[in-house]
Amino acid sequence: MSNERKILELKDKKEKAHLGGGQKSIEKQHQKGKLTARERIDLLLDKGSFEELDMFRTTTHSDFGLADKQIFGDGIITGYGSIDGRLVFVYSFDFTVFGGSLSQVVAEKVVKIQEMAAKNGAPIIGINDSGGARIQEGVDSLAGYTSIFLNNVLYSGVIPQISAVVGPAAGGAVYSPALTDFIFMARNTSFMFLTGPKIVKAVTHEDITADELGGADVHSTKSGITHFTFDDEQSLFQGIRQLMKYLPNNNMEEPAIVPNDDPADRVEEDLNYIVPEHPNKPYDMKGIILNVLDEGKFLEIQEQYAPNIIIGFGDLSGRAVGVVANQPKVLAGVLDSNASTKAARFIRFCDAFNIPIITFEDVPGFMPGTVQEFNGIIRHGAKMLYAYAEATVPKLTVITRKAYGGAFCVMNSKHLRGDMVYAWPTAEIAVMGPEGASEIIYAKEIKSSENPDDKLQEKISEYREKFANPYVAANKGMIDEVIEPKITRYKLIKALEMLRNKRDENPPKKHGNIPL
Ligand code: HXC
């Protein structure tokens, strides 16, 4: 064969590979409101940057008629490219080939990309649209999944791992995304469940649709499985690009510093008045976060799940920071099991990838009651405590109002190695809120009084006057500085500069035993 014909043959094969399961299947995919695996990669990566590997791999199995169904790529497209010029590795399940099911070859292709990403210290993004284990390939498919899971775990905390779920993720297909750092889902087309509606009906007799069982809204509000939810795939892939701006390439690097025009010493008079004078009146902590961060930009994560705590990324003087903040507007910002788990995982991500953590605190304590106690709030709250305690990145705290009890200890206090703990003059720092404390320590006095209600109010006022302020803690060095709210941004930026070369270590160990 002449060279020319050989090149034509290559082009022909590539064209075939580009069609995946064929034009009809592509049309079917579009009719379902979904993009193809290649269209998704194009949306995700910088234009023209994608380099594909293993395009010509086909199934190695022949049972169940597979011998006659050799399709180039075998249901997944893998390779590397760039996002804003930065190297990333990517794999994209092709639903037009056997429903994107995971075969032995598909698994080998993913594993290869995972290993290349780890070796080259670059983030990896998996685009999932899959019917789970390829049934025809039996245990080889299960073994394939397991190899992917193993790599997800080995590279956890080494390179950022991101999952887009843009179709079904059933059975084994859910666990790789679950092991990665962030999951993105699209409304109406994304589903994640271990067992689908039919099996649910057979086992538990529940009648439920795929969307009700494992749609994007379920996972963003009820289970907390997903971190970001979008209305369509186009905005979802833009969302991943946005998130990437805050992440370093790997655990040996820091996120890039991207200077902007927002002055470090910007003063925000409004912050002096944002905390209401009445201690039980709610306000929106996001107002403070947006005022403090560069250009008022904040990428919130798990916005609809456990909204009594806020987590997300922003910049301070061009440097990425992770924000953890109580939200007094929701359940008074109380810490419950879901809020604790949500924050703990985020804190550990930031620590693993050298992202400083800024904590804004206004918390009346942990949520009391049987629901929380029976659900294990002791264990879940301990996760957050553990995460803050072991984190060695720069850790700054701003107490805006309440910091009571165990919640004060947990929310990056000085004794958890908080590097700088600031308090606003509106801060109330004590072992308990004035109401609860007065009822306990003055119980006899109140009971024997002629007018117990008046006595209780008198004691509450006394207690508030004496203890519900930042100065008792400041007097003991538990607060580094009481600051005027309007200069919070400047103070945080100065502290981050001071901590630029912070070195802190934990004792040598194989790994700790976080209360899971
Ligand atoms: C082989 C599969 C497949 C699979 C789908 N297909 N899933 N082929 N193995 N797991 C094929 C279909 O036969 C069909 O082929 C094509 O993909 C498209 O599927 P449709 O059913 O037409 O698409 P849709 O209506 O959109 O439904 C998608 C779906 C459904 C919800 C994913 O296909 C489905 O329920 N699939 C099975 C899901 C499942 O139970 N997976 C196994 C899980 S066990 P044709 O030729 O007709 O186009 C598992 C264990 C691993 O994963 C555990 C590891 C820890």
Side-chain angles (χ1 to χ4, degrees):
M1 205 192 287
S2 68
N3 281 0
E4 201 173 316
R5 287 203 53 187
K6 282 181 182 168
I7 288 167
L8 280 176
E9 183 190 41
L10 171 65
K11 282 186 177 162
D12 183 51
K13 279 180 188 289
K14 282 195 170 178
E15 240 169 67
K16 270 200 188 114
H18 272 254
L19 277 179
Q23 196 54 45
K24 264 199 183 143
S25 304
I26 291 175
E27 278 159 24
K28 235 170 138 184
Q29 178 83 345
H30 285 155
Q31 278 159 12
K32 284 179 187 159
K34 298 196 292 180
L35 299 174
T36 65
R38 285 178 193 281
E39 288 166 344
R40 288 164 175 160
I41 290 174
D42 285 348
L43 277 174
L44 175 67
L45 299 182
D46 295 341
K47 209 170 166 16
S49 70
F50 183 55
E51 296 291 331
E52 187 171 347
L53 308 177
D54 291 336
M55 183 188 269
F56 297 136
R57 293 210 62 182
T58 55
T59 179
T60 47
H61 286 244
S62 53
D63 290 338
F64 302 102
L66 285 182
D68 303 327
K69 289 188 181 164
Q70 303 278 317
I71 298 174
F72 284 147
D74 201 33
I76 197 155
I77 293 153
T78 57
Y80 64 93
S82 63
I83 290 182
D84 290 329
R86 287 167 55 196
L87 175 67
V88 295
F89 287 79
V90 62
Y91 56 89
S92 181
F93 282 86
D94 184 351
F95 193 83
T96 69
V97 182
F98 300 110
S101 54
L102 188 117
S103 66
Q104 183 184 336
V105 164
V106 167
E108 285 170 5
K109 286 176 70 172
V110 174
V111 164
K112 188 190 226 182
I113 286 294
Q114 288 178 308
E115 288 170 358
M116 287 178 78
K119 201 181 273 183
N120 294 292
I124 184 164
I125 299 155
I127 304 172
N128 299 271
D129 182 3
S130 166
R134 186 168 301 167
I135 296 161
Q136 297 91 326
E137 297 201 13
V139 290
D140 282 332
S141 168
L142 299 185
Y145 262 132
T146 319
S147 310
I148 295 171
F149 302 155
L150 176 69
N151 278 348
N152 284 136
V153 174
L154 294 181
Y155 305 142
S156 177
V158 178
I159 48 170
Q161 302 182 62
I162 297 170
S163 298
V165 177
V166 280
V174 296
Y175 274 120
S176 178
L179 290 167
T180 61
D181 299 307
F182 296 104
I183 298 180
F184 287 67
M185 289 180 83
R187 289 195 177 86
N188 303 319
T189 49
S190 305
F191 310 102
M192 289 180 81
F193 34 68
L194 271 176
T195 47
K198 278 187 195 150
I199 297 175
V200 169
K201 171 86 176 154
V203 177
T204 68
H205 310 295
E206 290 168 283
D207 260 318
I208 195 157
T209 65
D211 200 41
E212 288 164 347
L213 184 62
D217 285 325
V218 166
H219 286 311
S220 58
T221 57
K222 289 194 165 76
S223 73
I225 299 287
T226 189
H227 299 85
F228 297 97
T229 303
F230 291 88
D231 284 335
D232 52 59
E233 291 191 29
Q234 279 81 1
S235 43
L236 182 148
F237 289 109
Q238 283 312 306
I240 296 180
R241 292 178 63 93
Q242 200 59 31
L243 172 66
M244 281 289 300
K245 291 183 196 294
Y246 298 103
L247 312 185
N249 297 319
N250 57 63
N251 64 333
M252 305 298 282
E253 295 183 14
E254 293 184 1
I257 294 178
V258 185
N260 59 59
D261 294 333
D262 200 350
D265 58 358
R266 173 165 55 79
V267 169
E268 286 292 343
E269 289 289 341
D270 287 357
L271 290 185
N272 277 5
Y273 308 101
I274 201 164
V275 173
E277 291 192 357
H278 190 288
N280 291 338
K281 206 169 163 202
Y283 61 97
D284 190 354
M285 187 64 94
K286 281 185 207 168
I288 297 176
I289 297 169
L290 293 175
N291 259 304
V292 167
L293 293 176
D294 288 358
E295 299 175 322
K297 287 185 191 158
F298 178 55
L299 181 66
E300 189 168 355
I301 301 167
Q302 289 179 303
E303 194 174 349
Q304 290 169 293
Y305 181 73
N308 38 327
I309 205 154
I310 302 165
I311 57 171
F313 293 115
D315 289 315
L316 278 173
S317 252
R319 187 178 180 194
V321 292
V323 173
V324 179
N326 309 116
Q327 173 55 293
K329 217 175 84 167
V330 181
L331 299 172
V334 73
L335 287 176
D336 56 12
S337 297
N338 291 347
S340 304
T341 310
K342 169 177 163 181
R345 187 158 160 77
F346 179 66
I347 291 162
R348 298 191 98 214
F349 177 84
C350 291
D351 189 45
F353 289 104
N354 312 313
I355 301 170
I357 300 162
I358 315 288
T359 302
F360 291 96
E361 179 171 357
D362 184 349
V363 59
F366 281 100
M367 181 81 144
T370 52
V371 172
Q372 289 296 316
E373 294 285 0
F374 293 175
N375 169 259
I377 192 168
I378 297 173
R379 184 173 65 252
H380 299 303
K383 289 175 188 166
M384 194 168 166
L385 184 52
Y386 193 110
Y388 266 127
E390 74 172 344
T392 55
V393 287
K395 299 187 288 190
L396 311 178
T397 302
V398 180
I399 303 174
T400 59
R401 190 168 61 178
K402 295 173 189 171
Y404 285 123
F408 163 70
C409 310
V410 169
M411 296 294 295
N412 193 39
S413 58
K414 205 71 200 159
H415 291 83
L416 284 184
R417 299 192 287 182
D419 292 296
M420 290 296 258
V421 178
Y422 297 109
W424 286 5
T426 45
E428 306 171 18
I429 305 165
V431 69
M432 276 181 98
E435 292 80 3
S438 304
E439 276 174 18
I440 294 171
I441 54 179
Y442 301 117
K444 280 190 192 138
E445 207 179 320
I446 291 166
K447 210 171 161 193
S448 61
S449 147
E450 273 180 22
N451 192 334
D453 286 345
D454 286 354
K455 195 71 186 171
L456 174 64
Q457 289 312 317
E458 181 193 317
K459 290 295 175 191
I460 289 173
S461 303
E462 249 178 61
Y463 186 94
R464 187 179 301 285
E465 196 65 28
K466 202 163 178 191
F467 296 108
N469 61 61
Y471 300 106
V472 179
N475 179 263
K476 296 174 191 296
M478 296 175 191
I479 300 295
D480 293 295
E481 195 181 350
V482 182
I483 60 171
E484 238 191 285
K486 67 181 185 183
I487 55 163
T488 302
R489 170 179 165 79
Y490 176 70
K491 286 286 175 183
L492 292 174
I493 290 172
K494 286 291 282 182
L496 283 180
E497 276 170 18
M498 179 271 287
L499 292 161
R500 198 79 192 95
N501 296 317
K502 178 188 173 185
R503 292 282 173 269
D504 204 351
E505 279 178 7
N506 296 329
K509 54 181 142 180
K510 188 171 176 189
H511 58 71
N513 190 11
I514 189 165
L516 294 172

